[in-house]
Amino acid sequence: MRSDTVTKGKQQAPHRSLFNALGLTPEEMERPLVGIVSSYNEIVPGHMNLDKIVNAVKQGVAMAGGTPIVFPAIAVCDGIAMGHLGMKYSLVTRDLIADSTEAMAIAHQFDALVMVPNCDKNVPGLLMAAARINVPTIFVSGGPMLAGHVKGKKTSLSSMFEAVGANAAGLISDEDLCEFENKTCPTCGSCSGMYTANSMNCLTEVLGMGLGGNGTIPAVHSARIRLAKQAGMKVMELWEKNICPRDIMTEKAVLNALTVDMALGCSTNSMLHLPAIAHEIGMDFEIDFANGISEKTPNLCHLAPAGPTYMEDLNEAGGVYAVMAELNKKNLLYTDCMTVTGKTVGENIKDAVNKDPEVIRPVENPYTPTGGLAVLKGNLAPDGSVVKRSAVVEEMLVHEGPARVFDCEEDAIDAIKGGKIVAGDVVVIRYEGPKGGPGMREMLNPTSAIAGMGLGSSVALITDGRFSGASRGASIGHVSPEAAVGGPIALVEEGDIIKIDIPNLSLTLAVSDEELEKRRQAWQPREPKVTTGYLARYASMVTSGNRGAILTVPGK
């Protein structure tokens, strides 16, 4: 056992004395030490129930003969961090989570790990750590929130943000806004649409790192507690068989995740996190992969914000396995991949049934024959940009309009809410990328304001920042290279015509090469917005959005 390094032999007597101080018995030190990485805190609604999940995992581990030991991981609530300085600290926590978990797991020589995440950067950060540490590991999330109900309709956090825009436009009353505020988020759990947290928890199932139901069983259902106990027991099987994350998270598994991503219509943030996870297993992930996979993968689900269904509906319809079973009818998955069940993907999904063809479209009757995400390229985004195609209305799939240019999110929001953006405009928000932000803020406030004010079918938004999974409409993010490094988005001027053609995967600035070169010669780098602390270190090491905003050693 790895833990023998700290529990066996006379040289380890000092180590055992410290375990004694923890209250561990000799019998517990004889068993495998299983680290339970708990993301529990009292500020993130998706994490406030994780103490119960962790206790259930501990029971499962102990029942199966292991010694469970809990240590923490941090998490930021993107909703609470949205629209202010705090959002600069969201994406950057992914690497803090991965680094700190790596440090804790190796410093204390755990034999196996159970990761208990739920929201946004927490899930990919722990998947990255799992690949690095590479001891037997299983994931069990805290589960999604139930949908809210306002005026007889289901709602989610995207509805809440859009209600603010609708109120600013005089479309709903203050009383209506208050009703949304009080009813939109009715329970604990990760917000109820196919946003980033739920996207990544579903893709954890597809990657093979979570049991069936990990992404969809609601946080408040007792089945979630049972799942956590099963995960605790299952990690001991993984330990006995020495099945490790890199045996599971292979290149084929990552491609499976990207395929199911397309069918589910996941958050565009998955196109930051899948490359980062792939990087940890040594896979060179080009975001262009998305278009090739999208071309042959039908979009089967329109969960909020793309449509009127929610995570609880997907769960009742058969969950992620049912979606995978539909895709397997067209042989779109690598079914020989190993998973934490100890079985292959094919074995896991062979009995899965689509119980609701209105929630999960049959593969013969998809929403569209192509996937939910698209990577657009052109002279405005030579290295690529990402759009959630499944959440774009038909009339905005091809759009041409004048650029309205803003060098930060706040200025754009002021213009939108001030009525200065009109139908046909293309809002450009730049210097918000990984380096320029720094931290690549999500742009849920401006997209929600556009939608809430009734401009969602006539105004596009382009940014080198990123979007919340709750964003919808012609919202094109991750524009690379970003403005801070002199990418073409830095050269856009007010009134320039921008052409968006999502079906043909292009994003074009209608300015001649000669004019762009003239502007490039005149361009000067901006002074960094942050020069001290973690954000400054992050900005010095982070790569562009098309590479997953991974951290590299400067100069390499």
Side-chain angles (χ1 to χ4, degrees):
M1 293 191 300
R2 176 184 289 226
S3 60
D4 287 352
T5 309
V6 291
T7 60
K8 299 290 195 301
K10 290 183 180 179
Q11 287 295 321
Q12 280 64 46
H15 304 74
R16 288 193 297 276
S17 72
L18 293 168
F19 282 118
N20 289 335
L22 292 171
L24 294 189
T25 65
E27 292 81 4
E28 287 174 302
M29 284 185 256
E30 286 292 325
R31 299 173 181 172
L33 302 185
V34 180
I36 301 175
V37 187
S38 172
S39 302
Y40 169 77
N41 61 50
E42 295 182 344
I43 189 62
V44 183
H47 291 213
M48 61 181 287
N49 66 319
L50 295 191
D51 55 341
K52 297 175 177 61
I53 303 297
V54 167
N55 283 335
V57 170
K58 289 174 69 176
Q59 291 179 51
V61 169
M63 284 191 289
T67 298
I69 301 175
V70 180
F71 65 89
I74 64 167
V76 164
C77 176
D78 278 19
I80 295 174
M82 194 69 65
H84 57 87
L85 178 64
M87 181 45 70
K88 293 179 185 288
Y89 285 88
S90 171
L91 178 60
V92 306
T93 63
R94 186 185 70 185
D95 294 275
L96 281 176
I97 291 160
D99 293 349
S100 60
T101 302
E102 173 193 355
M104 288 291 288
I106 294 176
H108 300 102
Q109 293 291 285
F110 286 105
D111 296 296
L113 296 167
V114 182
M115 306 293 197
V116 187
N118 213 27
C119 292
D120 295 305
K121 313 313 160 296
N122 204 243
V123 185
L126 290 179
L127 285 165
M128 291 162 66
R132 287 184 203 171
I133 301 160
N134 204 37
V135 299
T137 301
I138 195 169
F139 277 66
V140 56
S141 77
M145 183 184 290
L146 294 179
H149 290 81
V150 177
K151 300 188 186 307
K153 293 184 178 180
K154 286 186 177 181
T155 61
S156 60
L157 187 65
S158 52
S159 311
M160 180 71 253
F161 275 88
E162 288 176 16
V164 174
N167 178 258
L171 300 176
I172 66 171
S173 67
D174 289 351
E175 291 75 16
D176 288 336
L177 182 63
C178 186
E179 184 177 5
F180 271 98
E181 182 179 331
N182 286 303
K183 294 182 178 179
T184 292
C185 298
T187 70
C188 62
S190 48
C191 296
S192 57
M194 188 53 78
Y195 309 146
T196 304
N198 293 324
S199 295
M200 294 309 301
N201 281 324
C202 288
L203 296 184
T204 298
E205 283 190 51
V206 185
L207 285 166
M209 292 299 294
L211 298 175
N214 177 69
T216 60
I217 297 172
V220 295
H221 284 197
S222 296
R224 175 64 55 180
I225 300 296
R226 296 196 297 272
L227 186 75
K229 291 177 182 177
Q230 291 162 357
M233 291 185 281
K234 187 62 69 172
V235 79
M236 296 308 299
E237 283 186 35
L238 296 173
W239 175 77
E240 289 166 4
K241 297 176 180 177
N242 195 32
I243 298 173
C244 296
R246 285 183 218 158
D247 301 319
I248 295 170
M249 288 193 287
T250 61
E251 290 194 15
K252 286 182 178 180
V254 172
L255 294 176
N256 278 348
L258 190 51
T259 298
V260 178
D261 187 334
M262 294 297 169
L264 284 172
C266 289
S267 163
T268 52
N269 280 314
S270 64
M271 293 302 291
L272 282 174
H273 302 321
L274 286 177
I277 294 162
H279 176 74
E280 297 292 345
I281 65 167
M283 177 183 177
D284 185 14
F285 187 110
E286 294 288 339
I287 62 170
D288 284 9
F289 290 163
N291 290 337
I293 289 178
S294 178
E295 193 174 315
K296 60 184 180 181
T297 305
N299 178 229
L300 305 181
C301 299
H302 268 192
L303 291 110
T309 53
Y310 295 81
M311 295 305 297
E312 62 202 63
D313 303 313
L314 179 60
N315 187 63
E316 293 300 316
V320 175
Y321 280 8
V323 176
M324 295 173 74
E326 288 289 348
L327 293 174
N328 200 40
K329 293 177 182 177
K330 294 186 68 175
N331 298 314
L332 293 173
L333 299 174
Y334 294 101
T335 56
D336 58 342
C337 295
M338 178 53 61
T339 73
V340 291
T341 65
K343 300 177 182 178
T344 64
V345 166
E347 291 172 313
N348 286 343
I349 67 175
K350 67 181 177 66
D351 296 323
V353 176
N354 181 356
K355 301 174 184 177
D356 190 340
E358 295 301 313
V359 177
I360 304 171
R361 288 278 186 94
V363 74
E364 303 83 7
N365 181 37
Y367 282 101
T368 58
T370 53
L373 297 180
V375 174
L376 312 184
K377 284 191 170 183
N379 68 345
L380 186 51
D383 293 338
S385 60
V386 182
V387 64
K388 190 171 184 176
R389 173 165 43 190
S390 59
V392 180
V393 294
E394 185 73 25
E395 53 266 40
M396 288 299 290
L397 290 172
V398 177
H399 180 76
E400 181 177 324
R404 305 298 309 281
V405 184
F406 304 94
D407 286 350
C408 67
E409 177 188 6
E410 289 82 359
D411 289 350
I413 292 171
D414 288 345
I416 295 165
K417 291 187 175 178
K420 296 177 181 178
I421 302 301
V422 299
D425 284 347
V426 178
V427 176
V428 176
I429 304 177
R430 62 191 182 188
Y431 294 100
E432 290 284 9
K435 286 185 181 292
M440 204 177 185
R441 287 195 288 181
E442 287 185 343
M443 303 290 166
L444 180 55
N445 275 344
T447 59
S448 297
I450 287 169
M453 297 178 77
L455 296 171
S457 60
S458 59
V459 170
L461 196 155
I462 296 172
T463 181
D464 54 6
R466 61 194 177 93
F467 294 108
S468 165
S471 292
R472 61 186 175 98
S475 303
I476 301 167
H478 309 193
V479 170
S480 301
E482 62 175 293
V485 298
I489 192 172
L491 310 178
V492 181
E493 295 182 357
E494 187 81 7
D496 283 349
I497 299 300
I498 293 176
K499 298 179 179 180
I500 300 165
D501 189 340
I502 295 173
N504 288 305
L505 308 172
S506 71
L507 181 63
T508 307
L509 181 64
V511 173
S512 69
D513 292 344
E514 292 77 15
E515 174 62 20
L516 281 178
E517 182 57 31
K518 180 181 175 183
R519 294 180 189 180
R520 187 173 287 109
Q521 294 300 322
W523 178 80
Q524 293 292 325
R526 302 290 177 92
E527 288 294 320
K529 294 177 184 176
V530 180
T531 57
T532 60
Y534 178 55
L535 287 181
R537 294 197 303 276
Y538 180 88
S540 73
M541 299 172 70
V542 71
T543 61
S544 61
N546 69 299
R547 294 185 61 195
I550 59 172
L551 300 187
T552 60
V553 177
K556 291 188 178 181

